[in-house]
Amino acid sequence: SSSPPPFTPMGELLHSYQRKDKTYQVYKADVFTPRFLDYHSRLQTFLLWFVDAASFIDIDDEKWHFYLLFEKVTEAGSISYSIVGFASVYGFYAFPDKVRWRISQMLILAPFQRKGHGAQLLRCVYDSLVPLPSTLDITVEDPSPEFQTLRDFVDCQNTLALGLGMGVVGRGLGGEEEGEGEGRCDVLRTKLKLSRKQCQRVREILRLRATDRSSPGQYRDYRLAVKNRLNGPYLRAQQDLEKLRRSMSPAELALLQPPESHDSHVTKLANEYQALEEEYLSVIEKLAASPVGLG
């Protein structure tokens, strides 16, 4: 009997790049791409092994788009392909005529991790969706800490590559007029289609990158600005609670849970800031080691 034809990737070739004399290619597919549905049914079983709380998706929904990363190997005149990783993206309707894209799943298989492939795949997702006139923004569903670091790194790199670094940072988080930060975030929302929350992270990472932490004044201004943002939800909750108290009877007030002490809240806020700064510094370290990050 004749042997089956050699495997070839399905979909549209978006991008090729080299790593140590090996070629890698990213393809885009959807539910209408020939041969893809059967391949995807086998591919997504990797998620159950390698991604916590992963679940299968409804492959019949045509709003799904898929990005497949392959290693292309040529030996003795024959070409073979090995799957490196993949991403699935869903397009949600956004009134009145936009699409809000959500990266639902992304996985780089273990033998290929920590070699820059995740950043290449994420950039391909961005490069194919950002230029679409219908794209409102690109979000991520429940990102893991590792993926959030990757996302921060790529978003900061893209911001720097566009020459938007200092424009986004401005005069510093501690010295802005009211509303100035929102305006700077709008630049990223327009150019890179980042969500409002992710814009804030990119601004704070690049501001920390530009801050002289050996300067007490600069570093204090930065910490206070970020802590004020982190403290915002707590202050709003306290205001709402105070309004509620004024409308309650003494008996109802007695049933309320005692409020968090000031010292306890200050400690919690300091710990939250410290954890966030450590996340930001790990991204800044990656930027320093990358060519674009030096810009």
Side-chain angles (χ1 to χ4, degrees), residues 3 20-21 54-56 95 104 133 150 156 185 247 250 255 267 280:
S3 59
K20 294 183 178 179
D21 73 10
S55 59
F56 288 170
F95 183 84
S104 174
L150 171 66
C156 287
C185 271
S247 65
L255 297 175
T267 300
Y280 288 178

Side-chain angles (χ1 to χ4, degrees), residues 31-212:
V31 298
F32 302 110
T33 301
R35 299 185 292 122
F36 176 69
L37 291 184
D38 178 58
Y39 184 72
H40 180 267
S41 68
R42 289 174 283 150
L43 186 63
Q44 68 175 347
T45 57
F46 282 120
L47 291 169
L48 300 183
W49 289 100
F50 297 116
V51 179
D52 290 339
S55 59
F56 288 170
I57 61 177
D58 178 11
I59 193 66
D60 296 325
D61 192 330
E62 62 188 56
K63 294 187 180 72
W64 284 108
H65 294 259
F66 304 90
Y67 298 80
L68 309 171
L69 174 56
F70 292 96
E71 181 184 72
K72 180 181 179 182
V73 178
T74 304
E75 287 182 332
S78 65
I79 299 174
S80 62
Y81 294 88
S82 300
I83 187 70
V84 172
F86 64 96
S88 59
V89 181
Y90 191 84
F92 288 91
Y93 168 72
F95 183 84
D97 58 355
K98 297 292 185 182
V99 177
R100 168 165 278 149
W101 298 100
R102 179 182 293 171
I103 300 173
S104 174
Q105 302 164 329
M106 184 167 172
L107 175 66
I108 301 295
L109 297 180
F112 302 98
Q113 290 178 4
R114 305 195 183 284
K115 297 178 181 178
H117 296 303
Q120 289 280 354
L121 183 55
L122 182 56
R123 284 193 199 98
C124 271
V125 173
Y126 283 160
D127 290 346
S128 73
L129 299 178
V130 168
L132 299 179
S134 61
T135 297
L136 175 65
D137 58 20
I138 302 170
T139 62
V140 180
E141 179 180 341
D142 299 329
S144 66
E146 294 80 10
F147 185 81
Q148 184 61 56
T149 298
L150 171 66
R151 182 189 187 195
D152 291 339
F153 168 68
V154 172
D155 290 344
C156 287
Q157 262 202 334
N158 289 341
T159 300
L160 294 168
L162 288 173
L164 298 175
M166 291 314 297
V168 167
V169 169
R171 293 184 289 110
L173 292 176
E176 291 177 334
E177 300 295 332
E178 186 175 351
E180 188 177 340
E182 282 295 312
R184 298 188 189 283
C185 271
D186 287 343
V187 175
L188 293 183
R189 289 176 63 78
T190 302
K191 297 279 189 181
L192 300 178
K193 305 298 184 182
L194 302 184
S195 67
R196 198 170 297 280
K197 181 179 178 181
Q198 184 63 10
C199 285
Q200 185 69 61
R201 283 184 69 93
V202 169
R203 292 189 69 244
E204 289 179 354
I205 291 168
L206 294 181
R207 177 60 188 141
L208 181 57
R209 178 177 177 266
T211 295
D212 180 0

